[in-house]
Amino acid sequence: DSSGNLVATKIEIKPDNSLRLLGNIESITAPGTVVVNGVTVQLSGGTRMDDKSQSNVQNLQFSDLHTNEYVEIRGWAGSAPNTIAAMILERNDVPSNVNNLRFEIQGVASNQSDPTLVILGVTIDTTGASFTGTTRTGFFVPGTNGRLVKVRGNITPIPSQPFRANQQVEFQSP
């Protein structure tokens, strides 16, 4: 206003959506629940679902989802340990160029011991990865557990085996 005060027309409080997955739907385990990269994802009526695949479904519903579809999930900690409550689910086409194929997990790291760490209950193998903003040694120093980390690989995750983050590992800002 003329006095220099900020006059809000809308105030919105958004939950932290720092948890992220990029990968294939491995399974649909229950109504409203899918597994991506070994992580259980809870979908609700509040989850925004967008279809950016060639199918281009205008009002994407849970019933439109199928295993092996490539999705990006953004959300926050779910109601059970090592789950994500999805704020956004975006269905995409699998990249036709295998060099562009990516699988990602972003979350709080624990049990860091070179070359592995755990995010959302999934063991991550960082063998072959480059470390952005730090070195491998700097990443695995004591005291770095509990930080937000993004890991990326280009090898399709295999259920019940460590996630292969053979491309990139980096700390994220919350």
Side-chain angles (χ1 to χ4, degrees), residues 113-117 124-131 136 140 152-155 162-169:
S113 178
D114 193 1
T116 63
L117 63 139
I124 313 292
D125 177 358
T126 66
T127 303
S130 63
F131 287 75
R136 175 178 291 279
F140 285 104
R152 177 183 295 161
N154 64 356
I155 298 171
F163 179 93
R164 297 279 313 278
N166 63 329
Q167 289 185 314
Q168 183 179 20
V169 176

Side-chain angles (χ1 to χ4, degrees), residues 17-69:
N17 67 343
S18 57
L19 302 181
R20 181 173 186 259
L21 300 171
L22 182 63
N24 297 326
I25 296 175
E26 295 168 9
S27 62
I28 298 173
T29 58
T33 305
V34 298
V35 176
V36 177
N37 297 341
V39 179
T40 299
V41 179
Q42 303 162 333
L43 307 172
S44 70
T47 302
R48 187 180 87 212
M49 296 179 61
D50 297 324
D51 190 359
K52 297 196 175 178
S53 72
Q54 289 182 356
S55 300
N56 196 26
V57 174
Q58 293 302 311
N59 189 17
L60 187 66
Q61 302 293 314
F62 181 79
S63 59
D64 296 321
L65 300 176
H66 301 92
T67 57
N68 296 318
E69 289 182 319

